[in-house]
Amino acid sequence: MAKIKIYSTPTCPFCRMAKEFFKEKKIGFEDIDVSADRAVASELFERSGHMGVPQIEVNGKIIIGFDKAALEQELKDV
Amino acid sequence: MFDLVIVGAGIAGQTAAIYAARKRMDFVLLAKEVGGQFLESGEVLNYPGILKTTGVEFKLLMDKQLEFNEVNVTEGKEVKKIGKIEDGFRVYCDSDTYDAKTVIIASGARPRGLNVPGEKEFARKGVTYCSICDGPLFSGMDVVVVGGGNSALEAVDFIKDIAQKIYLLNNGKEFNAHEYLIERVLSYKNVEILLEADTKEVLGDKFVTGLVYEKNSILHSLEVQGVIIEIGRVPNTGFLEGFLELDEHNHVVVDCQTRASVEGVFAAGDCASGHEYQYVTSAGQGCMALLKAARYLANKKL
């Protein structure tokens, strides 16, 4: 089973869509609210080079935004 | 040949598709992505019959409504061109084409860019066009909001308790927004208003570090970590150039019956002239476009 982390904020619509995507597929994920913890946010942005949400980590690889095609591809490879 | 091709699956295109499905028309709904601008709006408080919702809730409900009406969206299709053929039109996507007797264009709009150096380079690195998406990331930071309309002032209102200092930078002399919003924004202690200020450049290294603007022919710079751009929207109509008439802002010119300048082509929602960027006007126009297209087919006996 893939290990998935969704870095999100409470108001971000695409984060919500991303969570729905995984729920529909019955794939569990860890939801990390980056607006609640600046240290986590900074670390993520430094690591990915992108300042925005959602960012979705699938098995250590970060996918920027809610990119359905990229997610499908990554899940297939797992 | 299909009866109809609908281009775009925002609220206008989806409404047209629901009506087309219920009329048992032979149609295809082409979309780059389903939902379009739904996902950029926060609260929705003015849709008749719905007391209070959000863009995402609305989108998810529309997904169910499409499913209920057995509407299939052909997703991931960006229309590149439309041309006239005998008895109808040919719609060109990247790798395939769709022929239909009528076309409804509901391709929507996208945020307008500033078109200054650094803007593209630092997109998603501190530059954003979606304050409800990225606003909360600017917690404790200094931010500039560029714009002077409702969206810009709503963005300031949204991040007033999140960001530390907010500059509201407008190139006009005054704001063009609801009075209650202007009053509210003027009352915030952490907001500094800069009028008649022209953005010249976004600065940064790995992420945004500042913004340069010109006022009274003098260049000034702000130290900010976030740049929120809310300067209006532009219609997604580039693929229609030369095919039908566009207005001075590139909206599809339509009459009061959603008819475009080419017979058999209709347009609805934010891509069409007379647009108001409202869910309800787009839904209404999507419905009208479909009914007019159906009537056109019946009259022409196509």
Coordinates of all heavy atoms in Angstrom, one line a residue, chain B residues 3-6 12-28 102-106 257-259 265-268 282-298:
Chain B
D3 N -25.3 15.7 -32.9 CA -26.2 16.9 -32.9 C -25.4 18.1 -32.4 O -25.6 19.2 -32.9 CB -27.4 16.7 -32.0 CG -28.3 15.6 -32.5 OD1 -28.4 15.4 -33.7 OD2 -29.0 15.0 -31.7
L4 N -24.6 17.8 -31.4 CA -24.0 19.0 -30.7 C -22.7 18.6 -30.0 O -22.5 17.5 -29.5 CB -25.0 19.3 -29.5 CG -24.6 20.3 -28.4 CD1 -24.4 21.7 -29.0 CD2 -25.6 20.3 -27.3
V5 N -21.8 19.6 -30.1 CA -20.6 19.5 -29.2 C -20.6 20.7 -28.3 O -20.9 21.8 -28.7 CB -19.2 19.6 -30.1 CG1 -18.0 19.8 -29.1 CG2 -19.0 18.4 -30.9
I6 N -20.4 20.4 -27.0 CA -20.3 21.4 -26.0 C -18.9 21.5 -25.6 O -18.2 20.5 -25.2 CB -21.2 21.1 -24.7 CG1 -22.7 20.9 -25.1 CG2 -21.1 22.2 -23.7 CD1 -23.5 20.3 -24.0
A12 N -21.8 26.6 -17.1 CA -22.6 26.8 -18.3 C -22.6 25.6 -19.2 O -23.7 25.1 -19.6 CB -21.9 28.0 -19.1
G13 N -21.5 25.0 -19.4 CA -21.4 23.7 -20.2 C -22.1 22.6 -19.5 O -22.8 21.8 -20.2
Q14 N -22.0 22.5 -18.2 CA -22.7 21.4 -17.5 C -24.2 21.5 -17.6 O -24.9 20.5 -17.7 CB -22.2 21.3 -16.1 CG -20.8 20.9 -15.9 CD -20.4 20.6 -14.5 OE1 -21.2 20.5 -13.6 NE2 -19.1 20.5 -14.3
T15 N -24.7 22.8 -17.5 CA -26.1 23.0 -17.5 C -26.6 22.6 -18.9 O -27.6 21.9 -19.1 CB -26.4 24.5 -17.2 OG1 -25.9 24.8 -16.0 CG2 -27.9 24.7 -17.2
A16 N -25.9 23.1 -19.9 CA -26.3 22.7 -21.3 C -26.3 21.2 -21.5 O -27.3 20.6 -22.1 CB -25.3 23.3 -22.3
A17 N -25.3 20.5 -20.9 CA -25.3 19.1 -21.0 C -26.4 18.3 -20.3 O -26.9 17.4 -20.9 CB -23.9 18.6 -20.5
I18 N -26.8 18.8 -19.2 CA -27.9 18.2 -18.5 C -29.2 18.3 -19.3 O -29.9 17.3 -19.5 CB -28.1 18.9 -17.1 CG1 -26.9 18.4 -16.2 CG2 -29.5 18.5 -16.4 CD1 -26.8 19.3 -14.9
Y19 N -29.4 19.5 -19.9 CA -30.6 19.7 -20.7 C -30.5 18.8 -22.0 O -31.5 18.3 -22.4 CB -30.8 21.2 -21.1 CG -31.6 21.9 -20.0 CD1 -31.0 22.4 -18.8 CD2 -32.9 22.2 -20.2 CE1 -31.7 23.1 -17.9 CE2 -33.6 23.0 -19.3 CZ -33.0 23.4 -18.1 OH -33.8 24.1 -17.2
A20 N -29.3 18.8 -22.5 CA -29.2 18.0 -23.8 C -29.4 16.5 -23.5 O -30.1 15.8 -24.3 CB -27.7 18.2 -24.3
A21 N -29.0 16.0 -22.3 CA -29.2 14.6 -22.0 C -30.6 14.3 -21.8 O -31.2 13.3 -22.2 CB -28.4 14.3 -20.7
R22 N -31.3 15.3 -21.1 CA -32.8 15.0 -20.9 C -33.6 15.1 -22.2 O -34.7 14.6 -22.2 CB -33.2 16.0 -19.8 CG -32.5 15.8 -18.5 CD -33.0 16.7 -17.4 NE -34.3 16.2 -16.9 CZ -34.4 15.2 -16.0 NH1 -33.4 14.6 -15.6 NH2 -35.6 14.9 -15.7
K23 N -33.0 15.8 -23.2 CA -33.7 15.9 -24.5 C -33.3 14.7 -25.4 O -33.7 14.7 -26.5 CB -33.3 17.2 -25.2 CG -34.1 18.4 -24.7 CD -33.8 19.6 -25.6 CE -34.8 20.7 -25.4 NZ -36.1 20.4 -25.9
R24 N -32.4 13.8 -24.8 CA -31.9 12.7 -25.5 C -31.2 13.1 -26.8 O -31.3 12.4 -27.9 CB -33.1 11.7 -25.9 CG -33.9 11.3 -24.7 CD -33.2 10.3 -23.8 NE -34.1 9.8 -22.8 CZ -34.0 10.3 -21.5 NH1 -33.2 11.2 -21.2 NH2 -34.8 9.8 -20.6
M25 N -30.5 14.2 -26.8 CA -29.7 14.6 -27.9 C -28.4 13.7 -28.0 O -27.9 13.2 -27.0 CB -29.3 16.1 -27.8 CG -30.5 17.0 -28.1 SD -30.2 18.7 -27.7 CE -29.2 19.2 -29.1
D26 N -27.9 13.6 -29.2 CA -26.7 12.9 -29.4 C -25.5 13.9 -29.3 O -25.3 14.7 -30.3 CB -26.7 12.2 -30.8 CG -25.5 11.4 -31.1 OD1 -24.8 11.0 -30.1 OD2 -25.2 11.1 -32.2
F27 N -24.9 14.0 -28.2 CA -23.9 15.1 -28.0 C -22.6 14.6 -27.3 O -22.6 13.5 -26.7 CB -24.5 16.2 -27.2 CG -24.7 15.9 -25.7 CD1 -23.8 16.4 -24.8 CD2 -25.7 15.1 -25.3 CE1 -23.9 16.2 -23.5 CE2 -25.9 14.8 -23.9 CZ -25.0 15.4 -23.0
V28 N -21.6 15.5 -27.3 CA -20.4 15.2 -26.6 C -20.0 16.5 -25.8 O -20.1 17.6 -26.3 CB -19.3 14.7 -27.5 CG1 -19.0 15.6 -28.6 CG2 -18.0 14.3 -26.7
T102 N -24.3 21.5 -34.4 CA -24.2 22.7 -33.7 C -23.1 22.7 -32.7 O -22.7 21.6 -32.3 CB -25.5 23.1 -33.0 OG1 -25.8 22.0 -32.0 CG2 -26.7 23.2 -33.9
V103 N -22.7 23.8 -32.2 CA -21.6 23.9 -31.2 C -22.1 24.9 -30.1 O -22.6 26.0 -30.4 CB -20.3 24.3 -31.8 CG1 -19.2 24.5 -30.7 CG2 -19.8 23.4 -32.8
I104 N -21.9 24.5 -28.8 CA -22.1 25.5 -27.8 C -20.7 25.7 -27.1 O -20.0 24.8 -26.7 CB -23.1 25.0 -26.7 CG1 -24.5 25.0 -27.3 CG2 -23.0 25.9 -25.4 CD1 -25.5 24.4 -26.3
I105 N -20.3 27.0 -27.1 CA -19.0 27.3 -26.6 C -19.2 27.8 -25.1 O -19.9 28.8 -24.9 CB -18.3 28.4 -27.4 CG1 -18.0 27.8 -28.8 CG2 -17.0 28.8 -26.7 CD1 -17.8 28.8 -29.8
A106 N -18.6 27.1 -24.2 CA -18.7 27.5 -22.8 C -17.3 27.3 -22.1 O -17.2 26.5 -21.2 CB -19.8 26.6 -22.1
Q257 N -30.0 36.0 -27.5 CA -30.4 34.6 -27.5 C -29.2 33.6 -27.5 O -29.3 32.5 -27.9 CB -31.3 34.3 -28.7 CG -32.6 35.1 -28.7 CD -33.6 34.6 -29.7 OE1 -33.6 33.4 -30.0 NE2 -34.3 35.5 -30.3
T258 N -28.1 34.1 -27.1 CA -26.8 33.4 -27.0 C -26.3 32.9 -28.3 O -25.4 32.1 -28.4 CB -26.9 32.1 -26.1 OG1 -27.8 31.1 -26.7 CG2 -27.4 32.5 -24.7
R259 N -26.8 33.5 -29.4 CA -26.3 33.2 -30.7 C -25.0 33.9 -31.1 O -25.0 35.1 -31.0 CB -27.3 33.5 -31.8 CG -28.6 32.6 -31.7 CD -29.6 32.9 -32.8 NE -30.1 34.3 -32.6 CZ -31.3 34.7 -33.1 NH1 -32.0 33.9 -33.8 NH2 -31.6 35.9 -33.0
V265 N -23.8 28.3 -34.0 CA -22.9 28.3 -32.9 C -23.4 29.2 -31.8 O -23.9 30.3 -32.1 CB -21.5 28.8 -33.3 CG1 -20.5 28.9 -32.1 CG2 -20.9 28.0 -34.4
F266 N -23.4 28.7 -30.6 CA -23.9 29.5 -29.4 C -22.8 29.6 -28.4 O -21.9 28.8 -28.4 CB -25.1 28.7 -28.9 CG -26.2 28.5 -29.9 CD1 -26.1 27.5 -30.9 CD2 -27.3 29.4 -30.0 CE1 -27.1 27.3 -31.8 CE2 -28.3 29.2 -31.0 CZ -28.2 28.1 -31.9
A267 N -22.9 30.6 -27.5 CA -21.9 30.7 -26.5 C -22.6 31.1 -25.2 O -23.6 31.8 -25.2 CB -20.8 31.7 -26.8
A268 N -22.0 30.6 -24.1 CA -22.7 30.9 -22.7 C -21.6 31.0 -21.7 O -20.5 30.4 -21.8 CB -23.6 29.7 -22.4
S282 N -24.3 32.2 -15.7 CA -23.7 31.1 -16.5 C -24.7 29.9 -16.7 O -24.8 29.4 -17.8 CB -22.4 30.6 -15.9 OG -21.5 31.7 -16.0
A283 N -25.3 29.5 -15.6 CA -26.2 28.4 -15.7 C -27.4 28.8 -16.6 O -27.8 28.0 -17.5 CB -26.8 28.1 -14.3
G284 N -27.9 30.0 -16.4 CA -29.0 30.4 -17.2 C -28.7 30.5 -18.7 O -29.5 30.0 -19.6
Q285 N -27.5 31.0 -19.0 CA -27.1 31.1 -20.4 C -26.8 29.7 -21.0 O -27.1 29.5 -22.2 CB -25.8 32.0 -20.5 CG -26.1 33.4 -20.4 CD -24.9 34.3 -20.4 OE1 -23.8 33.8 -20.4 NE2 -25.0 35.6 -20.3
G286 N -26.3 28.8 -20.2 CA -26.0 27.5 -20.6 C -27.3 26.8 -21.0 O -27.4 26.1 -22.1
C287 N -28.4 27.0 -20.2 CA -29.7 26.5 -20.5 C -30.2 27.1 -21.8 O -30.7 26.4 -22.7 CB -30.6 26.7 -19.3 SG -32.3 26.4 -19.6
M288 N -30.1 28.4 -21.9 CA -30.7 29.1 -23.1 C -30.0 28.6 -24.3 O -30.6 28.3 -25.4 CB -30.6 30.6 -23.0 CG -31.4 31.2 -24.1 SD -31.1 33.0 -24.2 CE -32.1 33.7 -22.9
A289 N -28.7 28.5 -24.3 CA -27.9 28.1 -25.5 C -28.3 26.7 -25.9 O -28.5 26.5 -27.1 CB -26.4 28.1 -25.1
L290 N -28.6 25.8 -25.0 CA -29.0 24.5 -25.4 C -30.4 24.5 -26.0 O -30.6 23.9 -27.1 CB -29.0 23.6 -24.2 CG -29.3 22.1 -24.4 CD1 -30.7 21.8 -24.5 CD2 -28.5 21.5 -25.5
L291 N -31.3 25.2 -25.4 CA -32.7 25.3 -26.0 C -32.7 25.9 -27.3 O -33.4 25.5 -28.2 CB -33.6 26.0 -25.0 CG -33.8 25.3 -23.6 CD1 -34.7 26.1 -22.7 CD2 -34.4 23.9 -23.8
K292 N -31.9 27.0 -27.5 CA -31.8 27.7 -28.8 C -31.1 26.7 -29.9 O -31.5 26.7 -31.0 CB -31.0 29.0 -28.7 CG -31.7 30.0 -27.8 CD -33.1 30.4 -28.2 CE -33.7 31.4 -27.3 NZ -35.1 31.6 -27.5
A293 N -30.1 26.0 -29.4 CA -29.5 25.1 -30.3 C -30.4 24.0 -30.8 O -30.5 23.6 -32.0 CB -28.2 24.4 -29.7
A294 N -31.2 23.5 -29.8 CA -32.2 22.4 -30.1 C -33.2 23.0 -31.1 O -33.6 22.3 -32.1 CB -32.9 21.9 -28.9
R295 N -33.7 24.2 -30.9 CA -34.6 24.8 -31.8 C -34.1 25.0 -33.2 O -34.7 24.8 -34.2 CB -35.1 26.1 -31.2 CG -36.3 26.8 -31.9 CD -37.0 27.7 -31.0 NE -37.6 27.0 -29.9 CZ -38.1 27.7 -28.9 NH1 -38.1 29.0 -28.8 NH2 -38.7 27.0 -27.9
Y296 N -32.8 25.4 -33.2 CA -32.1 25.6 -34.5 C -32.1 24.3 -35.3 O -32.4 24.3 -36.5 CB -30.7 26.1 -34.2 CG -29.7 26.1 -35.4 CD1 -29.7 27.1 -36.3 CD2 -28.9 25.0 -35.5 CE1 -28.8 27.0 -37.4 CE2 -28.0 24.9 -36.6 CZ -28.0 25.9 -37.5 OH -27.1 25.9 -38.6
L297 N -31.8 23.2 -34.6 CA -31.8 21.9 -35.3 C -33.1 21.5 -35.8 O -33.3 21.0 -36.9 CB -31.3 20.8 -34.3 CG -29.8 20.8 -33.9 CD1 -29.6 19.8 -32.8 CD2 -29.0 20.5 -35.1
A298 N -34.2 21.8 -35.0 CA -35.5 21.4 -35.4 C -35.9 22.3 -36.6 O -36.5 21.7 -37.6 CB -36.5 21.7 -34.2

